[in-house]
Amino acid sequence: MRIDKFLKVSRLIKRREVAKELCDGGFIEVNGKTAKPSSEVNPGDLLTLHLGRRTLTVKINEVRPFANKDQADSLYEVVNDSVN
């Protein structure tokens, strides 16, 4: 699945367009490498999101094309959440 779609489905980012802009700006990494919006993600990958002063690292548990609000939290596991 594309990273921009995963970020929207998992509700880490509210809109897919915003996820695309963050990827284009170099604020999202997959396994330590800067991600493009079309980068593929799989279970086990580590995502690092640089959101202002906050850095959020999550591990992908599951990839689904759709998830409701209750299921969205199960798609990933927070590894590190820090504020610089």
Side-chain angles (χ1 to χ4, degrees), residues 1-13 15-24 28-30 35-43 45 47 49 60 62-66 75:
M1 173 182 282
R2 291 173 53 112
I3 189 168
D4 57 347
K5 181 164 181 163
F6 176 79
L7 290 169
K8 187 211 179 297
V9 169
S10 66
R11 291 178 164 76
L12 286 167
I13 304 292
R15 292 186 205 99
R16 190 168 175 180
E17 183 62 30
V18 174
K20 180 184 178 303
E21 290 172 6
L22 288 172
C23 289
D24 287 338
I28 299 182
E29 300 172 1
V30 177
K36 295 180 181 178
S38 61
S39 298
E40 292 290 318
V41 293
N42 299 300
D45 287 347
L47 299 183
L49 292 80
I60 298 176
E62 187 178 354
V63 176
R64 290 188 196 171
F66 176 78
L75 298 180

Side-chain angles (χ1 to χ4, degrees), residues 66-83:
F66 176 78
N68 64 28
K69 194 179 211 180
D70 299 330
Q71 298 169 334
D73 291 345
S74 68
L75 298 180
Y76 63 90
E77 169 186 338
V78 176
V79 176
N80 187 13
D81 187 1
S82 62
V83 178

Side-chain angles (χ1 to χ4, degrees), residues 41-54:
V41 293
N42 299 300
D45 287 347
L46 285 176
L47 299 183
T48 304
L49 292 80
H50 302 282
L51 308 168
R53 294 177 50 212
R54 182 179 180 195

